Amino acid sequence: MTDLPEFHIVVPARYASSRFPQKLLADLNGKPVVQWVYELALTAGAQSVTIATDHQAIYDAAKGFGATVVMTRDDHENGTERLAEVAASKGWFGDEIIVNVQGDEPLLPIELIHQAVAALASDPDAQMSTLACPIQRSVDIFNPNVVKVVRDEKGRALYFSRATIPWDRDGFANGAQTIAADYPAYRHIGLYVYRAQLLARYASMPMSPLEKWEKLEQLRFLHQGVPVQVGIAAGMPPHGVDTPEDLDALRRHLGA
């Protein structure tokens, strides 16, 4: 896309991980996972790409492969808080656009970053954007690990949920396990784009009851009335690195 507005990319790089400790430093074909993500982000055409970490080992590794990296506090609850700290330290403000690219997604398609930025740019009243894709498998409709989103006529999120939304009252009540051709079911893709002014407000936003029960961070914004534009992608991006098994699969995919 050649008509995108300017944007920054921040790669939150937390050291601890309950399922796979130190995964961002794990070797993937001769480079740590986080280096793959950084080098991928450099090809997206952003004004800047910054790794934001809470640990000296990641900081040193990032410096070693020539990345722009900042050390952030180690008490952040999520990547959005880390992004907000970086935005404040960099002096980003107002409508400046910041993309959160997860540090464990080394094969994230660049076109998804562009599509998410374009979604935000297309809606001047929105302060945040994300992506979703059509749900193809009926089993995913009923899977609580698949986050669903429903949109309004402007493409903005009405709600995100682990539950089955929307509910096909007539079909599901009769035990149907198939998706009708016109069933508006979308699976959320966890790629977020923010305006700097929203990140500046984030620290003062309390956790919402919706977020508490669904364990979905994005519900904090909906609870506060923040318009969230949802772009529709063709499909899910390749799986990231959540477990050692994921890393092994990526090694095989890349021909290790």
Side-chain angles (χ1 to χ4, degrees):
M1 295 185 182
T2 58
D3 56 349
L4 286 176
E6 293 182 336
F7 61 95
H8 303 278
I9 291 177
V10 178
V11 181
R14 188 169 66 95
Y15 184 76
S17 172
S18 57
R19 286 189 289 179
F20 189 1
Q22 305 175 38
K23 64 180 180 180
L24 300 190
L25 295 179
D27 180 79
L28 178 59
N29 285 30
K31 297 186 291 189
V33 169
V34 69
Q35 183 175 351
W36 281 85
V37 176
Y38 182 78
E39 291 175 352
L40 175 147
L42 288 177
T43 69
Q47 281 183 284
S48 68
V49 179
T50 305
I51 293 175
T53 188
D54 60 353
H55 197 279
Q56 193 66 44
I58 293 180
Y59 184 92
D60 292 343
K63 280 292 187 182
F65 58 75
T68 299
V69 56
V70 297
M71 185 72 80
T72 60
R73 301 199 321 266
D74 62 3
D75 60 347
H76 290 307
E77 293 184 2
N78 51 54
T80 306
E81 288 187 5
R82 205 172 305 284
L83 237 68
E85 181 183 347
V86 173
S89 69
K90 296 279 190 179
W92 298 333
F93 65 95
D95 285 335
E96 288 193 81
I97 295 175
I98 300 105
V99 182
N100 181 343
V101 172
Q102 298 296 330
D104 58 2
E105 295 195 16
L107 299 183
L108 179 70
I110 293 300
E111 54 266 29
L112 291 188
I113 296 175
H114 291 170
Q115 187 173 1
V117 171
L120 182 58
S122 72
D123 187 346
D125 294 325
Q127 298 181 49
M128 173 181 171
S129 66
T130 188
L131 297 176
C133 65
I135 292 180
Q136 306 290 346
R137 303 188 310 166
S138 296
V139 66
D140 290 337
I141 291 290
F142 305 98
N143 183 350
N145 294 317
V146 173
V147 177
K148 277 71 70 173
V149 59
V150 288
R151 309 190 306 159
D152 66 14
E153 65 178 2
K154 295 181 179 180
R156 296 175 183 168
L158 288 169
Y159 193 62
F160 297 87
S161 184
R162 299 184 183 279
T164 304
I165 58 171
W167 182 258
D168 180 355
R169 187 196 66 173
D170 296 332
F172 295 158
N174 294 324
Q177 297 291 305
T178 58
I179 305 173
D182 59 346
Y183 181 63
Y186 294 100
R187 176 175 184 159
H188 181 227
I189 298 172
L191 176 65
Y192 297 104
V193 180
Y194 306 91
R195 298 194 191 277
Q197 60 188 331
L198 176 60
L199 290 175
R201 290 175 47 203
Y202 185 75
S204 64
M205 292 182 181
M207 178 182 290
S208 76
L210 304 173
E211 177 187 3
K212 173 185 174 182
W213 292 105
E214 291 260 21
K215 297 295 188 288
L216 296 175
E217 175 190 345
Q218 61 269 35
L219 291 175
R220 185 178 309 192
F221 297 103
L222 291 187
H223 189 75
Q224 293 287 330
V226 174
V228 179
Q229 182 61 225
V230 182
I232 301 301
M236 287 292 292
H239 195 60
V241 180
D242 291 330
T243 66
E245 291 75 20
D246 292 335
L247 183 63
D248 288 340
L250 274 176
R251 286 171 175 157
R252 291 192 297 270
H253 174 77
L254 294 170

